[in-house]
Amino acid sequence: MLNYKNYLKILFSLLFAILSTIYIYTYLYAKNYAIPLVHSISVDAKFQFIRDNINRNNIDTLILGSSIGLNNVQGVVLEKKSIKVKHALNLSGFGLNTMQVEQLLELRSLFPNLKRVIYSAQFPDFALPTVFENYNIDFIKEYIELGEHNMSLKYGFFTFKNFIIVNKHDRGWKKNHLTNRTFEFLDFDHTGSVPLNIYGDDIIKDRWENPHRNKPIKESYQSLWRMVNKVEKEDMQFYFVIQPYRASLLKKYKDVDNILTSFEQNSSKVVLSNHGEILNLHKQLQLTDKYFADRSHLNDKGSKKSAEAIAKFIDKREGL
């Protein structure tokens, strides 16, 4: 019969073995997959993608935004169609509001040869004053600077502390994020963009038929002003791109059309006052429904047209 001392030794040995196994699992996981640096699966995955796949010295163009940047601007097409854009990186992520985009812009120092920033947006992106909580820019930069599939004890321990979240993401990754027929698709192309193959039966009725009702807030315009100002002061070019919205919805819902008109006017005033450039693709392209995946997200055919138009605009503005 075991006495209590032997019992405790066995108990602690088992506990140590379990914790050691979990740590080894999380450490190896962190070498190859995203860890919850900001607790946004798409942004965390993008940090890991940059760490493992991007030559940061080559990047001359940064694409920012919510999924309206992630899905609506194909970096591969931008590189192909533009003379000026050689190497683009799409740093956009799901559901990012303007202030979160401003936080991501602070990572620009990781790219020493950056020449331009493209912010791809629509009016719902300006509706909330959301920020990443406990956003540690130095911690994120150091993680990215680890290099391809590298890991340190510090980030291994960080992953270990977030084991439950990591395990959840690990189990759901293949099911939730590896089909381009859903809005959760996260299989990045070589620039970090995510074109959507959403047509026909894959279109979600509610997202197709019901427009956004939220309105931009002044804090978002103030955030946009700061972004343009920072980029221009560093002798880079800032491009603000207003993406297309389904015209039939705007025709049906005049209040939403008025919101979009106001958004264009206010954002234009902010961007142009800081010597940035503004491109309204909603007006310029006038895309029909066959190019949309829902009310504001473009399918891969639509995002190709968006990227081609941006490429042409950049080359024209920069002297070609």
Side-chain angles (χ1 to χ4, degrees):
M1 185 174 179
L2 292 173
N3 60 39
Y4 80 94
K5 289 185 177 180
N6 288 331
Y7 178 80
L8 288 176
K9 286 182 180 179
I10 294 173
L11 183 62
F12 281 116
S13 295
L14 288 173
L15 181 61
F16 178 78
I18 292 170
L19 292 176
S20 297
T21 300
I22 293 174
Y23 180 81
I24 292 171
Y25 162 76
T26 54
Y27 184 88
L28 294 175
Y29 177 92
K31 286 174 66 69
N32 298 285
Y33 301 99
I35 63 176
L37 293 169
V38 295
H39 296 275
S40 164
I41 184 63
S42 60
V43 178
D44 291 329
K46 189 60 63 70
F47 293 153
Q48 179 256 327
F49 170 81
I50 297 170
R51 183 198 67 177
D52 294 343
N53 298 281
I54 296 297
N55 183 333
R56 292 181 288 107
N57 290 324
N58 286 343
I59 299 301
D60 57 51
T61 304
L62 198 61
I63 304 163
L64 293 170
S66 64
S67 52
I68 299 299
L70 185 67
N71 303 138
N72 284 22
V73 184
Q74 292 191 40
V76 174
V77 175
L78 188 61
E79 291 177 342
K80 182 178 180 180
K81 294 296 183 178
S82 172
I83 301 298
K84 291 292 185 177
V85 177
K86 304 297 184 183
H87 298 282
L89 171 63
N90 195 323
L91 191 49
S92 308
F94 296 156
L96 299 187
N97 293 295
T98 308
M99 294 181 191
Q100 292 170 310
V101 171
E102 183 182 5
Q103 288 176 299
L104 289 183
L105 181 62
E106 295 305 308
L107 293 171
R108 66 190 182 280
S109 62
L110 287 169
F111 312 102
N113 296 307
L114 192 63
K115 295 179 180 178
R116 63 192 66 83
V117 173
I118 301 167
Y119 182 12
S120 171
Q122 249 300 342
F123 70 86
D125 300 326
F126 277 59
L128 295 172
T130 311
V131 296
F132 294 118
E133 296 182 3
N134 303 315
Y135 186 71
N136 189 331
I137 186 70
D138 293 328
F139 193 70
I140 295 169
K141 285 182 177 180
E142 186 178 342
Y143 167 81
I144 292 173
E145 289 171 341
L146 287 171
E148 185 178 358
H149 298 298
N150 286 330
M151 189 45 50
S152 68
L153 290 176
K154 177 166 67 174
Y155 292 95
F157 183 66
F158 173 84
T159 310
F160 174 75
K161 290 193 299 180
N162 289 276
F163 169 73
I164 294 176
I165 297 173
V166 167
N167 185 251
K168 179 181 178 182
H169 288 170
D170 190 18
R171 288 185 287 108
W173 184 262
K174 184 175 182 180
K175 176 183 177 181
N176 298 325
H177 302 296
L178 291 183
T179 170
N180 63 358
R181 295 170 63 184
T182 72
F183 289 99
E184 291 74 34
F185 184 49
L186 282 177
D187 190 11
F188 307 123
D189 65 25
H190 78 255
T191 69
S193 296
V194 181
L196 295 174
N197 185 30
I198 296 179
Y199 299 87
D201 292 340
D202 294 320
I203 291 175
I204 299 172
K205 184 178 180 180
D206 180 66
R207 295 178 62 147
W208 184 263
E209 296 180 350
N210 296 315
H212 299 90
R213 294 289 186 174
N214 41 7
K215 298 179 180 180
I217 57 176
K218 65 177 182 179
E219 291 87 352
S220 294
Y221 290 118
Q222 291 167 350
S223 178
L224 176 62
W225 189 93
R226 291 191 296 269
M227 282 192 280
V228 185
N229 188 258
K230 290 174 185 176
V231 169
E232 291 295 324
K233 281 185 175 180
E234 295 175 13
D235 294 324
M236 294 183 285
Q237 188 64 55
F238 189 97
Y239 294 94
F240 186 70
V241 179
I242 299 176
Q243 287 287 343
Y245 206 91
R246 282 192 65 224
S248 57
L249 283 179
L250 298 176
K251 185 177 180 180
K252 183 177 180 180
Y253 299 97
K254 296 307 295 182
D255 57 326
V256 181
D257 191 24
N258 291 335
I259 292 172
L260 179 54
T261 299
S262 174
F263 172 64
E264 178 197 6
Q265 292 172 347
N266 291 328
S267 58
S268 296
K269 185 184 300 183
V270 170
V271 172
L272 295 176
S273 69
N274 276 296
H275 308 291
E277 299 282 355
I278 189 159
L279 172 62
N280 189 334
L281 291 183
H282 176 74
K283 285 186 174 180
Q284 178 175 315
L285 296 179
Q286 298 186 13
L287 296 181
T288 60
D289 284 354
K290 70 178 182 178
Y291 295 106
F292 284 87
D294 71 358
R295 55 206 166 193
S296 58
H297 291 83
L298 302 175
N299 55 38
D300 47 11
K301 292 180 180 179
S303 59
K304 180 180 179 182
K305 284 192 169 294
S306 168
E308 288 174 343
I310 294 170
K312 185 177 181 180
F313 185 78
I314 289 174
D315 286 353
K316 181 179 180 180
R317 285 296 183 271
E318 297 185 14
L320 288 176

mmCIF file of all heavy atoms in Angstrom, residues 88-107:
data_model
loop_
_atom_site.group_PDB
_atom_site.id
_atom_site.type_symbol
_atom_site.label_atom_id
_atom_site.label_comp_id
_atom_site.label_asym_id
_atom_site.label_seq_id
_atom_site.Cartn_x
_atom_site.Cartn_y
_atom_site.Cartn_z
ATOM 1 N N ALA A 88 4.113 42.954 -53.156
ATOM 2 C CA ALA A 88 3.032 43.406 -52.282
ATOM 3 C C ALA A 88 2.838 42.437 -51.122
ATOM 4 O O ALA A 88 3.080 41.237 -51.244
ATOM 5 C CB ALA A 88 1.732 43.533 -53.066
ATOM 6 N N LEU A 89 2.387 42.979 -49.999
ATOM 7 C CA LEU A 89 1.998 42.167 -48.846
ATOM 8 C C LEU A 89 0.624 42.619 -48.391
ATOM 9 O O LEU A 89 0.408 43.795 -48.093
ATOM 10 C CB LEU A 89 2.995 42.320 -47.700
ATOM 11 C CG LEU A 89 2.567 41.671 -46.372
ATOM 12 C CD1 LEU A 89 2.432 40.155 -46.521
ATOM 13 C CD2 LEU A 89 3.547 42.018 -45.254
ATOM 14 N N ASN A 90 -0.313 41.679 -48.334
ATOM 15 C CA ASN A 90 -1.660 41.970 -47.856
ATOM 16 C C ASN A 90 -1.722 41.639 -46.365
ATOM 17 O O ASN A 90 -1.716 40.474 -45.974
ATOM 18 C CB ASN A 90 -2.693 41.149 -48.635
ATOM 19 C CG ASN A 90 -4.101 41.660 -48.435
ATOM 20 O OD1 ASN A 90 -4.466 42.094 -47.351
ATOM 21 N ND2 ASN A 90 -4.899 41.597 -49.489
ATOM 22 N N LEU A 91 -1.776 42.670 -45.542
ATOM 23 C CA LEU A 91 -1.777 42.517 -44.076
ATOM 24 C C LEU A 91 -3.182 42.683 -43.492
ATOM 25 O O LEU A 91 -3.356 42.939 -42.319
ATOM 26 C CB LEU A 91 -0.806 43.532 -43.458
ATOM 27 C CG LEU A 91 -0.433 43.418 -41.975
ATOM 28 C CD1 LEU A 91 -0.017 42.008 -41.602
ATOM 29 C CD2 LEU A 91 0.662 44.408 -41.631
ATOM 30 N N SER A 92 -4.198 42.519 -44.311
ATOM 31 C CA SER A 92 -5.578 42.687 -43.873
ATOM 32 C C SER A 92 -6.069 41.463 -43.112
ATOM 33 O O SER A 92 -5.484 40.377 -43.188
ATOM 34 C CB SER A 92 -6.481 42.926 -45.086
ATOM 35 O OG SER A 92 -5.996 43.964 -45.903
ATOM 36 N N GLY A 93 -7.187 41.634 -42.369
ATOM 37 C CA GLY A 93 -7.750 40.530 -41.608
ATOM 38 C C GLY A 93 -9.237 40.688 -41.377
ATOM 39 O O GLY A 93 -9.798 41.787 -41.522
ATOM 40 N N PHE A 94 -9.879 39.612 -40.984
ATOM 41 C CA PHE A 94 -11.331 39.610 -40.784
ATOM 42 C C PHE A 94 -11.781 40.694 -39.811
ATOM 43 O O PHE A 94 -11.242 40.826 -38.714
ATOM 44 C CB PHE A 94 -11.794 38.268 -40.216
ATOM 45 C CG PHE A 94 -11.586 37.079 -41.112
ATOM 46 C CD1 PHE A 94 -11.494 35.807 -40.572
ATOM 47 C CD2 PHE A 94 -11.496 37.222 -42.484
ATOM 48 C CE1 PHE A 94 -11.304 34.702 -41.386
ATOM 49 C CE2 PHE A 94 -11.308 36.120 -43.306
ATOM 50 C CZ PHE A 94 -11.217 34.849 -42.750
ATOM 51 N N GLY A 95 -12.804 41.444 -40.211
ATOM 52 C CA GLY A 95 -13.526 42.313 -39.301
ATOM 53 C C GLY A 95 -12.760 43.469 -38.701
ATOM 54 O O GLY A 95 -13.178 44.020 -37.673
ATOM 55 N N LEU A 96 -11.659 43.872 -39.304
ATOM 56 C CA LEU A 96 -10.844 44.921 -38.705
ATOM 57 C C LEU A 96 -11.464 46.299 -38.933
ATOM 58 O O LEU A 96 -11.749 46.686 -40.071
ATOM 59 C CB LEU A 96 -9.428 44.909 -39.291
ATOM 60 C CG LEU A 96 -8.623 43.628 -39.091
ATOM 61 C CD1 LEU A 96 -7.197 43.829 -39.570
ATOM 62 C CD2 LEU A 96 -8.637 43.179 -37.641
ATOM 63 N N ASN A 97 -11.649 47.023 -37.859
ATOM 64 C CA ASN A 97 -12.104 48.401 -37.957
ATOM 65 C C ASN A 97 -10.901 49.326 -38.139
ATOM 66 O O ASN A 97 -9.748 48.910 -38.008
ATOM 67 C CB ASN A 97 -12.913 48.773 -36.717
ATOM 68 C CG ASN A 97 -14.217 48.015 -36.656
ATOM 69 O OD1 ASN A 97 -15.092 48.184 -37.498
ATOM 70 N ND2 ASN A 97 -14.364 47.146 -35.663
ATOM 71 N N THR A 98 -11.172 50.568 -38.428
ATOM 72 C CA THR A 98 -10.122 51.516 -38.800
ATOM 73 C C THR A 98 -9.029 51.629 -37.740
ATOM 74 O O THR A 98 -7.836 51.681 -38.071
ATOM 75 C CB THR A 98 -10.737 52.901 -39.063
ATOM 76 O OG1 THR A 98 -11.810 52.764 -39.991
ATOM 77 C CG2 THR A 98 -9.702 53.845 -39.644
ATOM 78 N N MET A 99 -9.403 51.650 -36.481
ATOM 79 C CA MET A 99 -8.402 51.805 -35.431
ATOM 80 C C MET A 99 -7.506 50.568 -35.310
ATOM 81 O O MET A 99 -6.331 50.680 -34.946
ATOM 82 C CB MET A 99 -9.083 52.119 -34.101
ATOM 83 C CG MET A 99 -9.781 53.462 -34.102
ATOM 84 S SD MET A 99 -10.561 53.814 -32.523
ATOM 85 C CE MET A 99 -11.530 55.256 -32.972
ATOM 86 N N GLN A 100 -8.041 49.400 -35.624
ATOM 87 C CA GLN A 100 -7.210 48.196 -35.644
ATOM 88 C C GLN A 100 -6.259 48.214 -36.833
ATOM 89 O O GLN A 100 -5.108 47.777 -36.726
ATOM 90 C CB GLN A 100 -8.102 46.956 -35.681
ATOM 91 C CG GLN A 100 -8.885 46.729 -34.399
ATOM 92 C CD GLN A 100 -9.929 45.651 -34.543
ATOM 93 O OE1 GLN A 100 -10.729 45.655 -35.480
ATOM 94 N NE2 GLN A 100 -9.933 44.704 -33.615
ATOM 95 N N VAL A 101 -6.737 48.723 -37.953
ATOM 96 C CA VAL A 101 -5.857 48.890 -39.116
ATOM 97 C C VAL A 101 -4.723 49.851 -38.781
ATOM 98 O O VAL A 101 -3.566 49.633 -39.153
ATOM 99 C CB VAL A 101 -6.667 49.395 -40.329
ATOM 100 C CG1 VAL A 101 -5.739 49.792 -41.475
ATOM 101 C CG2 VAL A 101 -7.653 48.333 -40.790
ATOM 102 N N GLU A 102 -5.047 50.905 -38.045
ATOM 103 C CA GLU A 102 -4.018 51.854 -37.611
ATOM 104 C C GLU A 102 -2.972 51.157 -36.746
ATOM 105 O O GLU A 102 -1.761 51.429 -36.864
ATOM 106 C CB GLU A 102 -4.646 53.002 -36.839
ATOM 107 C CG GLU A 102 -3.641 54.072 -36.409
ATOM 108 C CD GLU A 102 -4.264 55.193 -35.610
ATOM 109 O OE1 GLU A 102 -5.473 55.118 -35.287
ATOM 110 O OE2 GLU A 102 -3.537 56.173 -35.308
ATOM 111 N N GLN A 103 -3.404 50.248 -35.889
ATOM 112 C CA GLN A 103 -2.454 49.499 -35.069
ATOM 113 C C GLN A 103 -1.544 48.632 -35.934
ATOM 114 O O GLN A 103 -0.332 48.563 -35.704
ATOM 115 C CB GLN A 103 -3.209 48.631 -34.057
ATOM 116 C CG GLN A 103 -3.853 49.408 -32.924
ATOM 117 C CD GLN A 103 -4.661 48.521 -31.998
ATOM 118 O OE1 GLN A 103 -5.622 47.877 -32.416
ATOM 119 N NE2 GLN A 103 -4.265 48.461 -30.727
ATOM 120 N N LEU A 104 -2.107 47.976 -36.945
ATOM 121 C CA LEU A 104 -1.296 47.134 -37.825
ATOM 122 C C LEU A 104 -0.304 47.959 -38.645
ATOM 123 O O LEU A 104 0.782 47.479 -38.980
ATOM 124 C CB LEU A 104 -2.198 46.335 -38.769
ATOM 125 C CG LEU A 104 -3.022 45.207 -38.149
ATOM 126 C CD1 LEU A 104 -3.803 44.468 -39.231
ATOM 127 C CD2 LEU A 104 -2.142 44.225 -37.381
ATOM 128 N N LEU A 105 -0.684 49.193 -38.954
ATOM 129 C CA LEU A 105 0.215 50.061 -39.709
ATOM 130 C C LEU A 105 1.525 50.297 -38.961
ATOM 131 O O LEU A 105 2.562 50.568 -39.590
ATOM 132 C CB LEU A 105 -0.479 51.393 -40.003
ATOM 133 C CG LEU A 105 0.310 52.418 -40.816
ATOM 134 C CD1 LEU A 105 0.649 51.888 -42.207
ATOM 135 C CD2 LEU A 105 -0.477 53.728 -40.933
ATOM 136 N N GLU A 106 1.511 50.165 -37.630
ATOM 137 C CA GLU A 106 2.726 50.355 -36.852
ATOM 138 C C GLU A 106 3.786 49.301 -37.168
ATOM 139 O O GLU A 106 4.958 49.458 -36.808
ATOM 140 C CB GLU A 106 2.389 50.336 -35.357
ATOM 141 C CG GLU A 106 1.503 51.490 -34.903
ATOM 142 C CD GLU A 106 2.091 52.837 -35.280
ATOM 143 O OE1 GLU A 106 3.267 53.088 -34.964
ATOM 144 O OE2 GLU A 106 1.374 53.641 -35.926
ATOM 145 N N LEU A 107 3.412 48.247 -37.856
ATOM 146 C CA LEU A 107 4.367 47.209 -38.244
ATOM 147 C C LEU A 107 5.157 47.601 -39.497
ATOM 148 O O LEU A 107 6.023 46.853 -39.939
ATOM 149 C CB LEU A 107 3.644 45.891 -38.506
ATOM 150 C CG LEU A 107 2.999 45.231 -37.280
ATOM 151 C CD1 LEU A 107 2.134 44.056 -37.709
ATOM 152 C CD2 LEU A 107 4.054 44.779 -36.288
#
